């Protein structure tokens, strides 16, 4: 496995790989790797000749009050995990390498699809995500790129980006990896105390509750959300949103029907955690 920190070196590698006809599978991450990252890496390993993992905490996607400075980082540990999982190249540029001007003057932006879920509460977040993902795609030129369903709005918006901008990459969706308790794996789970980690299991329980209400015939989205929010608040979580949106348009639904995303963001102590389930409702 080779660790690459400059764009020039990554480009040279990609140039040689393309020349020899190798397919490239790409897993973009912000590092502090866990089983939720290992699953897309393993999948990329089975589907491509070469696997590239990027590790970059992207300042452009964090709001001023968010956790950019305190986001957990450990490149040595991440490299060891990548090596174990058969990764060929870890691309870990510094912020100066990615943003030599400190920022960029040209962005990739999104409309409509960022009106709900996280986009509503994190202005500029998806613009930062899309801009860095497009930069990474330009550098790594993957045949396939792997994204987790844990960040479903990110996945959907990236699918639309490559579609709208005709970028020749196949986006592969990877199901959410959970702990035995149901808690979705996340680098931000390191912020949780033992007690908070138990409380955080309510997030997935609330999604299960929504699923059961729908299975029992409830179709009124606000009735479902109200019940789930009440449950989360009762166990001590501060809910940022609990929403039911259409899978394709990401618009809020009044009546639950078709392919839908039930999404939640909640604070457990200082950690903001997100989770979702995708349901097909007849
Ligand atoms: P991050 O490092 O949190 O930006 O995540 C990098 C990629 O791994 C994104 O595509 C995430 O959606 C995905 N990912 C993170 N956690 C999980 C998880 N628990 N299950 C599945 N995919 C995940």
């Amino acid at each position: 496995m080779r660790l690459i920190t400059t764009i020039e070196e990554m480009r040279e590698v990609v140039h040689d790989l393309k020349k020899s006809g190798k397919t490239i599978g790409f897993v973009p991450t912000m590092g502090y790797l866990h089983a939720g990252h290992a699953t897309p890496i393993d999948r990329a390993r089975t589907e491509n000749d070469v696997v590239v993992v990027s590790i970059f905490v992207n300042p452009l996607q964090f709001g001023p009050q968010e956790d950019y400075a305190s986001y957990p980082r450990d490149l040595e540990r991440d490299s060891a995990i990548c090596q174990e999982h058969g990764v060929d190249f870890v691309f870990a540029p510094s912020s100066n390498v990615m943003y030599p001007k400190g920022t960029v003057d040209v962005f990739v932006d999104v409309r409509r699809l960022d009106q709900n879920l996280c986009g509503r509460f994190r202005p500029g977040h998806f613009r930062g995500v899309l801009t860095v993902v497009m930069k990474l795609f330009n550098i790594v030129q993957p045949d396939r790129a792997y994204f987790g369903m844990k960040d479903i709005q990110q996945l959907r918006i990236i699918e639309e980006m490559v579609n709208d901008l005709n970028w020749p990459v196949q986006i592969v969706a990877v199901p959410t990896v959970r702990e035995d308790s149901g808690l979705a794996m996340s680098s931000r789970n390191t912020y949780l105390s033992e007690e908070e980690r138990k409380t955080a299991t309510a997030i997935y329980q609330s999604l299960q509750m929504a699923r059961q209400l729908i299975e029992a015939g409830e179709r009124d989205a606000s009735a479902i959300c109200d019940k789930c929010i009440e449950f989360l608040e009762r166990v001590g979580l501060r809910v940022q949103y609990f929403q039911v949106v259409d899978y394709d348009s990401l618009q809020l639904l009044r009546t639950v029907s078709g392919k839908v995303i039930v999404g939640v963001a909640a604070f457990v102590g200082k950690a903001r955690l997100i989770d979702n389930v995708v349901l097909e409702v007849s």
Side-chain angles (χ1 to χ4, degrees), residues 11-26:
R11 279 199 194 285
E12 272 168 37
V13 165
V14 168
H15 179 260
D16 291 347
L17 292 171
K18 295 272 168 194
K19 221 164 56 184
S20 53
K22 300 261 197 269
T23 56
I24 302 175
F26 180 41

Side-chain angles (χ1 to χ4, degrees), residues 28-31 34 36-37 71 147-148 150-151 154 175-177 185:
T29 81
M30 296 206 300
H34 48 69
H37 297 106
Y71 196 85
F147 291 89
K150 149 120 188 326
D151 300 284
Q154 169 174 282
T176 303
V177 182
M185 299 225 179

Side-chain angles (χ1 to χ4, degrees), residues 1 33 38 41-42 45 76-88 90:
M1 193 192 77
L33 303 181
I41 291 172
D42 292 343
R45 184 64 286 166
E76 215 168 293
R77 179 175 159 275
D78 289 345
S79 300
I81 292 172
C82 285
Q83 177 121 36
E84 268 169 43
H85 287 265
V87 171
D88 300 288
V90 169

Side-chain angles (χ1 to χ4, degrees), residues 192-249:
L192 302 172
S193 68
E194 194 117 323
E195 193 60 38
E196 287 170 339
R197 193 172 271 266
K198 281 189 205 134
T199 312
T201 59
I203 294 174
Y204 187 54
Q205 286 164 16
S206 72
L207 294 171
Q208 294 303 100
M209 190 171 159
R211 183 200 299 274
Q212 282 157 13
L213 287 166
I214 293 167
E215 278 170 5
E218 180 63 82
R219 293 290 180 271
D220 180 342
S222 51
I224 295 164
C225 294
D226 287 350
K227 285 194 181 117
C228 294
I229 290 169
E230 194 204 316
F231 164 72
L232 286 167
E233 287 178 343
R234 209 171 340 117
V235 297
L237 276 76
R238 186 157 65 82
V239 180
Q240 187 177 60
Y241 68 74
F242 196 104
Q243 295 177 346
V244 185
V245 301
D246 178 69
Y247 185 85
D248 293 315
S249 69

Side-chain angles (χ1 to χ4, degrees), residues 72-136:
R73 293 161 169 90
D74 190 341
L75 184 56
E76 215 168 293
R77 179 175 159 275
D78 289 345
S79 300
I81 292 172
C82 285
Q83 177 121 36
E84 268 169 43
H85 287 265
V87 171
D88 300 288
F89 299 97
V90 169
F91 179 50
S94 68
S95 181
N96 283 341
V97 162
M98 288 299 275
Y99 301 114
K101 294 189 286 187
T103 181
V104 288
D105 294 308
V106 179
F107 294 87
V108 182
D109 211 346
V110 54
R111 62 181 189 130
R112 296 197 296 214
L113 300 173
D114 65 343
Q115 281 169 347
N116 298 304
L117 304 174
C118 295
R120 165 133 180 243
F121 298 93
R122 302 187 72 188
H125 169 70
F126 287 109
R127 184 172 83 152
V129 169
L130 294 182
T131 302
V132 82
V133 168
M134 188 50 106
K135 280 167 76 73
L136 291 167

Side-chain angles (χ1 to χ4, degrees), residues 27-40 54 56 61 71 146-152 154-155 158 172 174-179 183-189:
V27 185
T29 81
M30 296 206 300
Y32 217 74
L33 303 181
H34 48 69
H37 297 106
T39 306
S54 67
F56 180 60
Q61 70 190 66
Y71 196 85
Y146 297 79
F147 291 89
M149 292 181 73
K150 149 120 188 326
D151 300 284
I152 191 82
Q154 169 174 282
L155 165 72
I158 288 169
V172 182
V174 181
T176 303
V177 182
R178 302 178 178 284
E179 295 184 356
L183 178 65
M185 299 225 179
S186 166
S187 307
R188 289 189 168 99
N189 290 351

